[in-house]
Amino acid sequence: MICKTYAEIKNRNLTLTSFQLRKVLALTLVVCGVVLISDVCFAQKKKGKLADKPLFRDPIFDGAADPVIVWNKKEKKWFMFYTNRRANAVKETGVTWVHGTRIGIAESKDGATWKYRDTANINFRPTKDYTHWAPDVFESEGTYHMFLTYVPGIFTDWSHPRNILHLTSSDLINWDYKSTAALINDKVIDASLYQLNDGTWRMWYNNEKDGKSIYYADSKDLENWDLKGRAVGDRGGEGPKIFRWKNRYWMLVDNWAGMSLYYSDDLTKWTRQPKRILEEPGKGPEDQAIGGHADVVVSGDRAYVYYFTHPGRTKKPAADGVETRRSLIQVAELEYKEGVISVDRDKPVYVKFKKKK
């Protein structure tokens, strides 16, 4: 190897002038440096593309939250749907800035770098003022489905009805209303769906009237729902996300103090792992507050958690204002050891998704 040249010259006691020796040493250092850099670059490429930090900020209202990631088959890129809170609407009072939202869309070719695309054209606006929250989006048999939280207006508090809608689309941009899910009551939010082995669809959602416990229901056609009751309720939470990884089913739940993880072998009985993730603030740019309401993308043996955070909420109590209202999306890679999932949100994240058709 060239990198051994200088050592070999010394070991063989070859006679060179000091000028020649300096040239050999310089060449050796350059070549060794190039080889080292090439090895590092190759290793990083193999791991994936380095994700932006912060990952994404909404350019309109600066209030991106509740992300969900789905593959756009036609455009050959990833779409991120998110609740688009009106964080920079300075004249709003109470929680009106969290209402009156449309669902935002960002796009990416690799899951590591995202740009704003548009808002989803959801054809369900029965009232002049309306609120769209926290979609779950997936593809089944060539059709895209969205289960969306709908609030019939803009309100100053949380004491108003909310339901979960079913919508469909062929392009992930334009959405047609199909039905309103008949669930436990009219205070339900944050649907998450997963298809069972027998083809039945199971929906988990937040029942706000039962201490914000997570409930579930089953359906064979995504229209008619068989109510099953409470799935987990040991602590109030919202934004459940169901995924399979490391030969287990997992449920991720936002507790507003980090996120709890529950595991299951049958998608019915759930056990909570002792330690929450995304509870401790990170040290990176715009990542120094708790993480919340997330999506998980599993690709092969790797899994990535896309979460939102309020970067201005580093102090308690946090004064209400644009700085503490604004929110953005971050990403971290999940780690698994001895049956426990953890996250180091300060590690650089190299995203590598398996290629989709």
Side-chain angles (χ1 to χ4, degrees):
M1 295 293 292
I2 297 176
C3 292
K4 298 179 180 178
T5 302
Y6 180 67
E8 289 175 351
I9 289 172
K10 290 188 67 177
N11 291 337
R12 296 180 185 179
N13 295 316
L14 298 178
T15 302
L16 294 176
T17 67
S18 60
F19 175 73
Q20 290 172 321
L21 198 57
R22 285 197 299 272
K23 285 185 67 177
V24 171
L25 176 58
L27 177 62
T28 300
L29 292 174
V30 169
V31 172
C32 288
V34 170
V35 170
L36 179 60
I37 292 172
S38 297
D39 287 345
V40 170
C41 291
F42 177 77
Q44 290 178 346
K45 185 176 181 181
K46 189 175 181 180
K47 290 169 63 178
K49 184 177 179 181
L50 181 64
D52 293 336
K53 195 173 186 71
L55 187 72
F56 176 75
R57 292 179 68 171
D58 176 76
I60 310 301
F61 292 115
D62 207 12
D66 314 334
V68 61
I69 314 294
V70 65
W71 175 248
N72 186 319
K73 286 185 173 181
K74 183 178 180 180
E75 298 192 22
K76 305 298 181 186
K77 61 182 64 170
W78 296 92
F79 271 26
M80 176 196 298
F81 292 82
Y82 58 93
T83 304
N84 197 7
R85 297 170 170 178
R86 299 180 297 131
N88 58 14
V90 295
K91 295 183 179 180
E92 299 293 339
T93 59
V95 293
T96 55
W97 64 278
V98 180
H99 294 79
T101 57
R102 296 187 68 175
I103 298 302
I105 304 173
E107 62 182 26
S108 174
K109 292 183 179 180
D110 49 33
T113 299
W114 295 82
K115 66 178 182 179
Y116 179 75
R117 171 68 178 262
D118 204 342
T119 55
N121 179 28
I122 294 171
N123 294 315
F124 187 82
R125 308 181 187 103
T127 59
K128 178 182 176 181
D129 295 324
Y130 59 90
T131 296
H132 294 159
W133 282 344
D136 190 31
V137 182
F138 58 91
E139 182 268 336
S140 177
E141 298 181 356
T143 297
Y144 297 105
H145 298 264
M146 178 188 292
F147 281 79
L148 174 74
T149 302
Y150 176 79
V151 186
I154 297 175
F155 304 108
T156 59
D157 58 37
W158 307 109
S159 303
H160 300 276
R162 20 201 177 264
N163 294 285
I164 292 175
L165 314 180
H166 177 208
L167 306 114
T168 59
S169 174
S170 60
D171 60 7
L172 286 173
I173 299 291
N174 301 290
W175 294 88
D176 295 320
Y177 171 79
K178 301 295 290 184
S179 62
T180 298
L183 299 174
I184 195 72
N185 55 50
D186 65 350
K187 289 291 289 293
V188 292
I189 63 173
D190 300 349
S192 178
L193 282 88
Y194 196 93
Q195 191 168 28
L196 309 184
N197 290 333
D198 65 359
T200 300
W201 289 93
R202 180 161 292 176
M203 181 203 301
W204 291 261
Y205 60 95
N206 180 284
N207 178 5
E208 297 196 295
K209 290 186 177 181
D210 184 19
K212 293 189 73 66
S213 297
I214 306 303
Y215 274 55
Y216 72 110
D218 288 350
S219 175
K220 295 181 179 179
D221 58 7
L222 295 172
E223 296 293 333
N224 301 286
W225 294 93
D226 180 15
L227 305 186
K228 296 294 185 179
R230 184 190 299 152
V232 298
D234 55 310
R235 174 172 178 149
E238 60 189 25
K241 180 61 186 182
I242 313 301
F243 62 100
R244 184 166 178 81
W245 191 48
K246 301 298 182 181
N247 297 316
R248 269 182 171 171
Y249 298 104
W250 298 89
M251 182 193 299
L252 186 61
V253 178
D254 184 0
N255 295 139
W256 319 289
M259 303 193 71
S260 288
L261 275 158
Y262 302 81
Y263 57 87
S264 174
D265 293 324
D266 60 5
L267 288 168
T268 302
K269 297 178 181 178
W270 296 93
T271 302
R272 181 169 60 88
Q273 78 170 32
K275 188 171 177 58
R276 291 189 291 267
I277 65 171
L278 301 173
E279 181 173 7
E280 298 300 322
K283 298 177 181 177
E286 304 277 50
D287 199 24
Q288 298 172 28
I290 60 172
H293 197 133
D295 190 20
V296 175
V297 178
V298 176
S299 185
D301 63 350
R302 300 172 69 181
Y304 307 88
V305 57
Y306 289 80
Y307 60 96
F308 89 94
T309 187
H310 289 280
R313 297 184 182 180
T314 57
K315 297 179 181 180
K316 294 181 179 181
D320 183 43
V322 172
E323 179 59 22
T324 53
R325 289 176 178 180
R326 70 184 182 93
S327 57
L328 47 81
I329 309 300
Q330 300 276 15
V331 65
E333 185 165 359
L334 298 182
E335 299 178 9
Y336 180 87
K337 185 177 181 181
E338 297 178 353
V340 176
I341 288 178
S342 62
V343 171
D344 183 347
R345 61 200 291 184
D346 292 327
K347 278 187 177 181
V349 181
Y350 293 90
V351 179
K352 189 172 185 179
F353 291 160
K354 283 190 170 183
K355 289 186 178 181
K356 296 270 192 177
K357 293 183 179 179

